[in-house]
């Protein structure tokens, strides 16, 4: 910038005048352009879905054409578990009871509240109980957090059972969904185990005796428990049997607490997530949710077809 | 002491028992709800069966449909809005429940102070109640394993192709009865017994009967062979094994008769492979063994049927 170099040379008025003129000119130019741009962009904000930011995230126009509706499901990672279209009767609450979705939603709630609880919890004897007291009395919303985790877990068990009842009553386990029913049974067992391992973590009398009662059954495992049939004959003692492996000791103590913690917070949620992935994926590949399907009459019963079946099925209700 | 409503309220209002109270309402409600739909479908099925012309043209669902209507809906928004609504309602419910009721916290764990009664978490109370009737290796290990295996076997032993994807009772009487007896009578009712009826020492206290911590159970449970006066250990073992074997044969035959009751069930039976029949019968007999042993214990005070040096049944 030459003006700057001339600063000391002694033409302050002239220089100042030049600068003033230049700045004034620029400002006048900017005023018109900037205000115009600003107005334009404010107007554009009324349609946020046309901004670059919005489009970079959602990519799909938001209108009510069938194409956009289908794409809003298909191009969204969270929604793409769903098909774009479903049987018109499949949204009936009287058919689905919504229990599968609710179980999954509760799993998510439990994951979030569980992670938050983990910030305040040490899986060590003595400290664990104090951490719960700390949650109750000092942590902001700590008691609410623990309550939500507890009641959410109970609700999830009920939801999973009712989901199973619904799937049974609608005969949805039948061909071609046999395998997904099995995955569901495993998920139900994992849900119960998740709840059971969490029971010990407060390290209070309730959890301690519940887990003592529960794991005492493992003593009696045939062959693998020291009080079970043929256990003693196979050399099982209280210090090498299956109960010892579960508890990391012969009584419910520090090791059992740590093991319950790791099963509860890491291992079982991971295993359950894998099975959930399979479960949801199979729902789609087996042709979407099972119905409400058209009723079949006894006179239309055919001989069971042997041999291969279609690998991927069309959603029920489509032609 | 009877009429102890205060104690009943105390049991009902234990925070951890709230889910069971909820279960008491939810399970019957949804069972009724499912059956209402089932009967709706059954009426349609009956109508279509008597009217073949209608069966050819009807859309075969009890829900309204007219030609020209879309057969499919867009998931966005018609399903998404339901899921969103369900999530909101569930969150509100959970919030309200969590604000009004605190999760239980007892004294710190103390191995020297046994809780009496010391109960498993409510969802395992069915198994704990089973401990009264069976040794731990059956009640705690074999039965849970059988429940899991049995549930997973259902799709492979149910040879009835009807009722796939819709509620019906008429077309699936046998499987629905079996499942509901298992789920309602043998699982949920056992949980309710374990929660509301079992008191200190796991003794039977009717609702509103005060828990007496000093009560002693003087009932003497005998083994079956003792009732018959058999003293020799080996003879007793042979006798017990025979009785268990007889139970399998007789109940197996009864189950077979049950599978042959109606013409429809005979038709389904025809479709089953030998492996399916054997699996079905084994699982049904094992399921029946629980109420059988319960009756033996509660009515005849029988402890074990078969006593061996290694295990007892």
């Amino acid at each position: 910038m030459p003006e700057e170099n001339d600063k000391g040379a002694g033409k302050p008025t002239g220089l100042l005048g030049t600068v003033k003129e230049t700045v004034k000119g620029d400002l006048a130019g900017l005023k018109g352009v900037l205000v115009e741009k600003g107005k334009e962009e404010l107007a554009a904000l009324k349609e946020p879905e046309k901004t670059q930011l919005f489009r970079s995230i959602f990519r799909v126009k938001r209108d009510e054409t069938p194409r956009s509706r289908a794409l809003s499901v298909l191009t969204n990672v969270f929604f793409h578990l769903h098909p774009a279209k479903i049987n018109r009767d499949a949204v009936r609450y009287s058919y689905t009871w919504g229990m599968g979705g609710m179980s999954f939603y509760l799993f998510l709630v439990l994951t979030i509240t569980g992670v938050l609880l983990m910030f305040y919890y040490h899986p060590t004897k003595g400290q664990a109980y104090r951490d719960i007291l700390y949650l109750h009395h000092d942590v902001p919303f700590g008691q609410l957090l623990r309550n939500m985790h507890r009641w959410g877990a109970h609700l999830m068990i009920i939801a999973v059972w009712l989901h199973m009842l619904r799937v049974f009553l609608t005969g949805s386990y039948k061909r071609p969904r046999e395998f997904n029913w099995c995955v569901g049974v495993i998920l139900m067992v994992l849900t119960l185990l998740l709840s059971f391992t969490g029971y010990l973590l407060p390290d209070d009398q309730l959890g301690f005796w519940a887990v003592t009662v529960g794991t005492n059954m493992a003593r009696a495992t045939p062959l693998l428990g020291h009080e079970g049939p043929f256990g003693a004959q196979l050399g099982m003692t209280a210090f090498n049997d299956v109960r010892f492996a579960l508890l990391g000791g012969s009584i419910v103590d520090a090791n059992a607490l740590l093991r319950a913690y790791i099963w509860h917070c890491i291992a079982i949620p991971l295993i359950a997530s894998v099975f959930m992935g399979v479960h949801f994926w199979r729902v789609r590949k087996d042709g979407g949710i099972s119905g409400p399907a058209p009723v079949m009459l006894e006179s239309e019963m055919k001989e069971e077809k042997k041999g291969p079946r279609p690998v991927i099925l069309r959603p029920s209700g489509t032609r | 002491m009877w009429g102890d409503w205060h104690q009943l309220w105390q049991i009902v209002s234990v925070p951890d028992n709230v889910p069971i109270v909820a279960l008491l309402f939810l399970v019957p409600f949804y069972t009724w709800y499912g059956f209402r739909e089932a009967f709706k479908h059954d009426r349609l099925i009956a109508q279509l069966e008597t009217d073949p012309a209608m069966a050819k043209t009807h859309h075969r669902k009890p829900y309204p449909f007219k030609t020209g209507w879309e057969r499919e809906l867009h998931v966005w928004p018609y399903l998404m809005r339901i899921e969103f609504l369900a999530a909101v309602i569930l969150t509100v419910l959970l919030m309200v429940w969590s604000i009004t009721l605190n999760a239980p916290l007892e004294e710190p764990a103390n191995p020297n102070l046994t809780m009496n009664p010391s109960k498993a978490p409510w969802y395992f109370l069915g198994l704990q109640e089973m401990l009264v009737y069976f040794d731990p290796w059956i009640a705690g290990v074999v039965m849970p394993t059988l429940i899991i295996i049995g549930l997973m076997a259902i799709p492979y032993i149910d040879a009835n192709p009807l009722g796939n994807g819709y509620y019906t009772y008429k077309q699936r009487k046998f499987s629905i009865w079996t499942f509901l007896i298992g789920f309602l009578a043998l699982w949920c009712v056992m949980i309710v017994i374990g929660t509301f009826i079992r008191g200190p020492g796991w003794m039977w206290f009717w609702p509103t009967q005060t828990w007496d911590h000093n009560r002693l159970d003087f009932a003497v449970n005998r083994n079956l062979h003792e009732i018959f006066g058999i003293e020799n250990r080996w003879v007793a073992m042979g006798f017990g094994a025979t009785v268990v074997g007889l139970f399998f044969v007789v109940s197996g035959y009864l189950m077979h008769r049950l599978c042959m009751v109606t013409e429809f069930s005979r038709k389904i039976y025809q479709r089953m492979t030998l492996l399916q029949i054997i699996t079905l019968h084994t699982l049904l007999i094992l399921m029946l063994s629980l109420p059988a042993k319960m009756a033996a214990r509660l009515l005849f005070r029988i402890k074990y049927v078969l006593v061996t040096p290694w295990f007892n049944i």
Side-chain angles (χ1 to χ4, degrees), chain A residues 2-13 15:
Chain A
E3 290 94 334
E4 248 177 351
N5 292 339
D6 294 340
K7 227 178 191 175
K11 283 194 286 179
T13 9
L15 181 65

Side-chain angles (χ1 to χ4, degrees), chain A residues 237-255:
Chain A
T237 67
F239 304 99
N240 65 0
D241 67 350
V242 64
R243 180 170 174 273
F244 190 88
L246 287 175
L247 295 178
S250 58
I251 54 163
V252 179
D253 203 18
N255 286 350

Side-chain angles (χ1 to χ4, degrees), chain A residues 105 129 150 173-174 181 318, chain B residues 16 72 91 151 158 162:
Chain A
Y105 179 69
Y129 188 79
R150 182 84 166 204
Y173 58 83
K174 295 186 180 193
W181 165 271
T318 52
Chain B
D16 257 355
E72 291 191 312
T91 311
L151 282 173
D158 186 352
L162 300 182

Side-chain angles (χ1 to χ4, degrees), chain A residues 82 86 88 93 95 105 129 147 150 170 173-175 181 195 204-205 220 233 293 296 300 302 318, chain B residues 16 30 60 70 72-73 83 91 98 103 106-107 123 137 151 158 160 162 164-165 167 171 271 310:
Chain A
H82 299 91
I86 44 161
R88 66 175 293 124
Y93 186 78
Y95 182 76
Y105 179 69
Y129 188 79
N147 292 350
R150 182 84 166 204
T170 54
Y173 58 83
K174 295 186 180 193
R175 207 175 153 107
W181 165 271
S195 190
D204 64 343
Q205 280 285 67
Q233 285 82 353
M296 195 171 142
E300 295 161 345
K302 288 188 207 101
T318 52
Chain B
D16 257 355
Y30 277 103
R60 303 223 165 180
E70 283 287 339
E72 291 191 312
L73 293 177
E83 289 179 352
T91 311
S98 301
E106 305 267 337
E107 288 160 39
Y123 39 85
W137 70 277
L151 282 173
D158 186 352
N160 181 357
L162 300 182
N164 185 347
Y167 291 92
Q171 292 182 332
R271 297 166 68 97
W310 314 283

Side-chain angles (χ1 to χ4, degrees), chain B residues 30-264:
Chain B
Y30 277 103
T31 311
W32 166 80
Y33 199 41
F35 267 92
R36 198 183 66 150
E37 283 291 301
F39 292 142
K40 213 190 272 180
H41 282 80
D42 288 349
R43 280 194 295 275
L44 177 68
I45 290 166
Q47 209 178 350
L48 295 181
E49 267 168 352
T50 49
D51 190 351
M54 188 185 171
K56 269 184 194 151
T57 53
H58 196 272
H59 71 285
R60 303 223 165 180
K61 292 180 191 179
Y63 312 118
F65 185 76
K66 279 183 189 148
T67 38
W69 282 10
E70 283 287 339
R71 279 184 183 276
E72 291 191 312
L73 293 177
H74 276 289
V75 162
W76 176 278
Y78 299 109
L79 176 60
M80 288 300 190
R81 67 181 182 195
I82 297 174
E83 289 179 352
F84 180 69
L85 202 63
V88 169
I89 293 171
L90 204 55
T91 311
V92 170
L93 181 81
L94 191 58
M95 276 284 191
V96 171
W97 187 358
S98 301
I99 289 168
T100 50
L101 206 62
N102 282 339
L105 185 69
E106 305 267 337
E107 288 160 39
N110 183 356
N112 299 317
L113 185 70
T114 315
M115 298 255 284
N116 190 10
S118 67
K119 289 188 179 182
W122 63 271
Y123 39 85
F124 285 150
L125 281 181
L127 300 177
Q128 203 180 350
E129 173 66 16
M130 242 189 265
L131 278 172
V132 176
Y133 313 102
F134 286 111
D135 269 2
W137 70 277
I138 300 183
V141 185
V142 175
M143 281 296 188
T145 314
L146 278 174
I147 293 172
I148 296 167
I149 292 176
L151 282 173
M152 300 215 315
I154 287 175
Y156 302 101
I157 52 180
D158 186 352
N160 181 357
L162 300 182
N164 185 347
Y166 54 92
Y167 291 92
T168 171
Y169 168 67
K170 210 178 87 168
Q171 292 182 332
R172 295 177 57 213
K173 281 182 190 162
F174 186 83
S175 54
I176 284 180
W177 269 102
T178 314
F179 188 81
L180 286 188
I181 287 174
F183 179 62
L184 298 182
L186 297 184
W187 186 253
C188 292
V189 170
M190 295 280 268
I191 289 175
V192 170
I193 291 176
T195 311
F196 296 116
I197 298 203
R198 293 298 179 176
W202 208 256
M203 280 188 277
W204 191 286
F205 290 90
W206 291 103
T208 78
Q209 194 182 354
T210 307
W211 284 8
D212 177 2
H213 284 260
N214 298 316
R215 183 167 116 179
L216 288 172
D217 192 354
F218 290 107
V220 182
N221 292 317
R222 300 155 299 175
N223 298 328
L224 186 66
H225 62 87
E226 286 162 5
I227 296 176
F228 287 86
I230 299 167
E231 273 166 29
N232 182 297
R233 199 168 96 180
W234 298 102
V235 177
M237 222 156 89
F239 173 72
T242 316
V243 172
V244 173
L246 263 178
F247 168 75
F248 268 75
V249 172
V250 171
S251 55
Y253 180 72
L254 284 177
M255 289 298 150
H256 174 77
R257 288 304 321 158
L258 202 63
C259 291
M260 305 288 257
V261 161
T262 64
E263 198 197 327
F264 179 70

Side-chain angles (χ1 to χ4, degrees), chain B residues 21-33:
Chain B
V21 179
L23 207 67
L24 275 179
F25 292 98
L26 285 173
V27 168
F29 169 75
Y30 277 103
T31 311
W32 166 80
Y33 199 41

Side-chain angles (χ1 to χ4, degrees), chain A residues 73-117:
Chain A
V73 173
L74 298 178
T75 61
N76 185 312
V77 68
F78 302 107
F79 296 169
H80 87 287
L81 277 175
H82 299 91
K85 285 177 130 190
I86 44 161
N87 187 330
R88 66 175 293 124
D89 297 312
V91 293
R92 285 175 184 277
Y93 186 78
S94 60
Y95 182 76
T96 65
W97 301 357
M99 288 298 165
M102 285 192 222
S103 309
F104 180 53
Y105 179 69
L106 284 166
F107 180 80
L108 296 181
V109 170
L110 288 167
T111 307
I112 294 165
T113 52
V115 168
L116 292 175
L117 285 170

